[in-house]
Amino acid sequence: GKVIVAANRDFWLSTSKLYVPHLRQTTVPLQTVWFSLCFGSYGIYVWINTLFEEVNLNDTYFNELLFAASNLPGNLICAYLMDRTGRTTLLIGSMLASAASLMAFAYFATDFWQIGIVLSACAFQACAIAAWNTIDCITSERFPTAVRSTGLGVCAASGRIGAMLAEFVNASLVSSPVRLLLVASITLIIGAMTPCLLPEGDFTLRPLVDDVDETSSSSSSSPSSSSPQPSDREGEERPMLDSRRTSSTGERIV
């Protein structure tokens, strides 16, 4: 009993740290992204077979296999672009591309163009997995070490709520695939705009914050103030150069 009480106390203490003023600006936007990404992606993953049947797609299971296989190129493209484009840019771009793919899916569904339906569904899967890889990376980098696991858990829990809500919404819309796809697309667009609210810019290739207090102070300190100026370095190097110019007998070396 005491172990459970202590665990609950530690959990609530760690969770409360996520909503102090300087960390709340990170926690809430990330929770929003997780919610919208889970709502827009898991809702499609679960209902994709039914959607294929509703739009009268031939050979449903083979096309579902193609849908699942498009996960691989999405992972490869994400791995290539992650450090080149920046985390935030990649997240926004992949979520917007996922939303655009669902809109294309809805358009092709109205025209019953089967090749377009399959291609747009596969494009959605590839872009969505890129968004998932990126949000995992951003979430683990944004929180200080002391609350990193708690922050990731809280954001993931927000995503699960979105995924559960999507099941009820999609169940009521599955007979109208176009409406279902548009709802998921709009949700992804809302989530794609949220990373712009994250403070301190992009964390790509930057050192991680290791303490909760550093998060509040890092926004007020600039990189130029934390590193010595070139003039200071020159002043530190002059005595060393002068000492190297003196011989062992104490005479100056010309």
Side-chain angles (χ1 to χ4, degrees), residues 2 17 38 59 63 99 103 114 118 138 168 215 242:
K2 294 182 178 179
K17 292 180 180 178
C38 281
D59 203 350
N63 290 317
M103 290 182 179
Q114 298 196 5
V118 175
I138 289 178
F168 293 100
T215 309
D242 291 341

Side-chain angles (χ1 to χ4, degrees), residues 122-199:
C122 290
F124 163 76
Q125 169 74 314
C127 296
I129 197 62
W132 272 116
N133 292 338
T134 311
I135 191 58
D136 286 340
C137 186
I138 289 178
T139 306
S140 61
E141 288 180 342
R142 283 282 176 168
F143 290 110
T145 302
V147 293
R148 185 163 294 140
S149 58
T150 304
L152 184 58
V154 168
C155 290
S158 302
R160 298 307 177 194
I161 295 174
M164 290 187 291
L165 180 61
E167 299 309 311
F168 293 100
V169 174
N170 291 350
S172 63
L173 296 176
V174 70
S175 59
S176 178
V178 173
R179 292 173 59 190
L180 188 155
L181 293 168
L182 291 178
V183 169
S185 179
I186 292 171
T187 305
L188 288 171
I189 292 174
I190 294 173
M193 298 296 102
T194 310
C196 299
L197 302 177
L198 290 172

Side-chain angles (χ1 to χ4, degrees), residues 63-119:
N63 290 317
E64 188 174 357
L65 178 62
L66 295 178
F67 176 81
S70 60
N71 187 308
L72 179 58
N75 278 298
L76 295 176
I77 294 172
C78 179
Y80 178 78
L81 295 177
M82 182 73 75
D83 291 334
R84 290 172 172 82
T85 63
R87 317 280 197 253
T88 304
T89 302
L90 182 58
L91 177 60
I92 294 174
S94 56
M95 291 187 71
L96 288 178
S98 299
S101 299
L102 290 183
M103 290 182 179
F105 190 160
Y107 175 78
F108 295 135
T110 58
D111 289 345
F112 301 101
W113 186 35
Q114 298 196 5
I115 295 178
I117 292 172
V118 175
L119 290 177

